Amino acid sequence: MIPVYAINTANKTPKFLQVVDAITDAFQCSKLKKGQKLYSINGRSDEFFLSRDTVEKTYTILCNQGSITSVIGKVYYIKQSNLNV
């Protein structure tokens, strides 16, 4: 798994929306592909010094959009071949 974004702390956009946008952009630039694993919530949180709640909110938004899916107790995967945010 590769890092797909960096958080801009000077940006007034909420961090969770920055992550949603970054994951979507990474998919559109072919850095992420359908079926590819994403970091777990804890892994993403630790890797980028984000709160667990921030990452969970990001993944919830992407799950609700049908863009990603999860295997309970495992990891999240890119679900669609075209992410629309």
Side-chain angles (χ1 to χ4, degrees), residues 26-79:
F27 184 82
Q28 291 171 347
C29 294
S30 299
K31 291 181 182 176
L32 294 173
K33 299 184 183 333
K34 184 177 180 178
Q36 186 172 347
K37 291 180 186 179
L38 294 174
Y39 285 101
S40 67
I41 290 173
N42 290 331
R44 180 76 64 192
S45 175
D46 292 345
E47 182 77 16
F48 296 100
F49 306 106
L50 297 170
S51 75
R52 191 179 188 291
D53 290 343
T54 298
V55 178
E56 188 170 17
K57 190 171 189 175
T58 298
Y59 283 7
T60 297
I61 289 169
L62 291 168
C63 280
N64 289 341
Q65 293 173 345
S67 300
I68 66 173
T69 189
S70 67
V71 175
I72 297 174
K74 303 270 182 179
V75 295
Y76 287 81
Y77 295 91
I78 299 293
K79 181 177 178 182

